[in-house]
Structure formats: structure tokens, C-alpha cells
Amino acid sequence: MILTTTSPSPYSLPAGLPEALDRLARTPRLLVAIDFDGTLAPFTDDPLRSRALPDSHLALIALWKIPATKIAVVSGRALDSLRIVADPPKGTILVGSHGVEMQMVVGEDPDLQLTTQEITDVSDLNELLDEVAEDHNEVWVEHKPAGAVLHTRGADSAEAQEAEHEALADTEDEFSSLLVRPGKDVLEFSVREANKGEALRELRRRTHATGVFYAGDDLTDEDAFAVLRSGDVGVHAGYSGRTRAPFQVPGPAQITVVLQYLASVRAAVSRQTATMA
Ligand SMILES: [Mg+2]
């Protein structure tokens, strides 16, 4: 009898990525910025039940412990929701609503001040989208501080398309300026313009980072990939074929391997520096 084992072979990082991470790990002040849903956490039907893959979470904690290394979770989620699901170590920077809400220190109030007009618009927008969602099966609305998101993940594609068309037509009639952002099974409306690219620029400035790692899976992460500079490393989670990220991996499970690799080389560099000092 011949016995064969089918244990999976360990994932090897795409060509060039280990070398790029080796170089980045030597930067004096490293910023590790990462998207949550679809990158740290696999997608779930109930957004509040999403959690980062345990080993990715551990790798982030390992990075967070290394001197001169800052961690930021950069998400389209509202900050309140991100705080619950990300469960970050103290000192992690949280960026919610694609940069509208930025919390540099845990416990500190995020920077978000809306004008009276914006507050009225958000309330009208939510009311309007709730009406659209009511007319469609498995379509629901996520309420956010500066906007709202129409979720269609559970709906069949005809129903989803109809709901999105309706939401677009109704909001166009109602609001003069509204930022519309399509994503995976979501259509997001915001009264405040912000994107992950601007957020990442701001994070680089505020953390004085000399090198940046960024990973994300969605269209909105492309803005962040676009502001990466020479020496930074961008990794797209998922093979979209349309990303600006220089490297692609299949999804969250492989992002774990990337983070573990970065944590181990950064820790080694940090130990070396400490010995030499
Ligand atoms: Mg994502």
C-alpha cells in the first residue's frame, strides 16, 4: 500500500517581495499600514463578526513591539466599528471612513468635525438609502458619521443592481455634491471627501515614517498604492489584475505570511542596530 500525504506546501512569497521587504525593514522609521476587510480579515456576512486572521493579528503585535515601527489599520469602516473588529494593541493608529476619521492615539477623540450642513446631509442621505433598502431583499444600509453605505452582498445580482441604480438616481436628484464610491458589493456615499491615499500621506507626515508598507484588497486601496514612494512596499490581497500595487498575493491567508516575514526581518534589523549602538 502506498501512503501519500497531502500536507500543503508552505506559501512562498512572490518573486522580488522578500528582497523588497528586506530593504524596507532597514528603514529608520517604519509605518506598517494595512486595510482590514479582505486583507487582515476574510469577508464575513456579518461585518461586526469579522476578525483578523489570528496569525496576522499576532504578526501585527510582533511588529508593534519593535522600536521605531508604527502600525495603522486603514479602513472604510466607521471608526467605531473598526475599533471593535480590529481589537488593536494600544498605540495602533486607526483610520476609519477612508480617512474621514483618524485616531492617532487610542482613547483620543478622532478628528472629525462636520458642519451643520454636512450633518443635515448625512441624516437625509441615511433616510433616503433606508427607503431604497426597504424595497429590496438582502440589501441593508450601514450608517457612518459622514455618510452611508448600501450593502448588497446577500442579494442576487439583479436585485443588487436595481438597488444600486435606485440609490444613485435618488441621491443624484437630492444632493448637489456627494462623493460616491463603488466597492465589492457595496456602494458608499459620503458628504466629506477623503480617500486612503490622502490618509496615508497624512500618516506618513504625522509618524515621520521613512518607509511605508501598505496592503489592501479593494478599489479604495488603489489611492493608497498610488502615493507609495520608491523604497515603500505595496501588496494587493487578491489577483485583480488591475492594481497599482507592485506585488500581489491571493488573499488574507498569504498576507499573514507577508506580515510574518516583515516582522521577522524588522526584528532582526532592530536587534542588530541595538547591538551596534
Ligand atoms: Mg478591504
Side-chain angles (χ1 to χ4, degrees):
M1 192 168 71
I2 298 166
L3 289 174
T4 51
T5 54
T6 53
S7 66
S9 57
Y11 175 71
S12 38
L13 297 175
L17 181 53
E19 293 78 7
L21 292 172
D22 289 344
R23 281 190 296 273
L24 180 64
R26 282 188 228 113
T27 200
R29 290 179 302 279
L30 175 64
L31 170 65
V32 177
I34 187 158
D35 167 55
F36 186 78
D37 294 281
T39 307
L40 278 176
F43 282 106
T44 53
D45 285 335
D46 180 356
L48 278 181
R49 284 177 181 272
S50 289
R51 291 295 180 272
L53 289 176
D55 286 341
S56 285
H57 194 69
L58 288 174
L60 278 188
I61 292 174
L63 280 160
W64 165 81
K65 284 183 177 166
I66 302 169
T69 309
K70 281 272 178 201
I71 312 297
V73 182
V74 182
S75 177
R77 281 179 185 251
L79 195 61
D80 282 342
S81 152
L82 180 62
R83 205 178 285 124
I84 293 167
V85 295
D87 183 25
K90 214 174 154 71
T92 304
I93 299 164
L94 292 180
V95 178
S97 304
H98 307 280
V100 175
E101 304 172 277
M102 196 175 273
Q103 186 175 52
M104 298 300 289
V105 180
V106 174
E108 183 191 72
D109 280 342
D111 312 338
L112 174 70
Q113 266 131 29
L114 296 179
T115 64
T116 309
Q117 183 60 51
E118 284 175 330
I119 291 167
T120 315
D121 283 350
V122 172
S123 147
D124 292 349
L125 172 70
N126 277 287
E127 210 170 294
L128 188 155
L129 291 182
D130 280 340
E131 278 169 26
V132 172
E134 257 169 47
D135 294 341
H136 298 277
N137 278 332
E138 304 294 329
V139 174
W140 60 280
V141 179
E142 177 188 356
H143 303 270
K144 295 172 73 167
V149 191
L150 192 76
H151 286 261
T152 56
R153 172 173 289 271
D156 68 56
S157 67
E159 186 101 51
Q161 227 174 35
E162 206 177 291
E164 290 192 354
H165 281 158
E166 218 174 290
L168 283 170
D170 292 0
T171 49
E172 206 180 296
D173 289 346
E174 197 77 21
F175 301 93
S176 52
S177 75
L178 203 58
L179 184 72
V180 184
R181 205 184 269 123
K184 283 180 194 153
D185 304 319
V186 292
L187 191 58
E188 172 150 15
F189 299 86
S190 180
V191 301
R192 181 72 69 85
E193 194 140 352
N195 68 56
K196 289 184 173 182
E198 284 167 30
L200 191 57
R201 260 204 205 111
E202 179 70 6
L203 286 176
R204 190 196 297 271
R205 194 181 66 75
R206 293 223 219 166
T207 58
H208 309 286
T210 49
V212 172
F213 170 87
Y214 188 86
D217 71 302
D218 211 341
L219 279 177
T220 57
D221 296 298
E222 294 302 314
D223 294 319
F225 293 132
V227 301
L228 292 180
R229 299 176 186 167
S230 150
D232 294 344
V233 175
V235 180
H236 186 264
Y239 293 124
S240 76
R242 288 178 300 142
T243 183
R244 302 171 93 140
F247 300 100
Q248 295 187 54
V249 300
Q254 293 74 28
I255 288 291
T256 301
V257 183
V258 176
L259 290 174
Q260 287 171 335
Y261 186 90
L262 180 58
S264 102
V265 289
R266 180 71 174 166
V269 168
S270 173
R271 277 193 300 270
Q272 250 173 30
T273 319
T275 320
M276 285 187 315

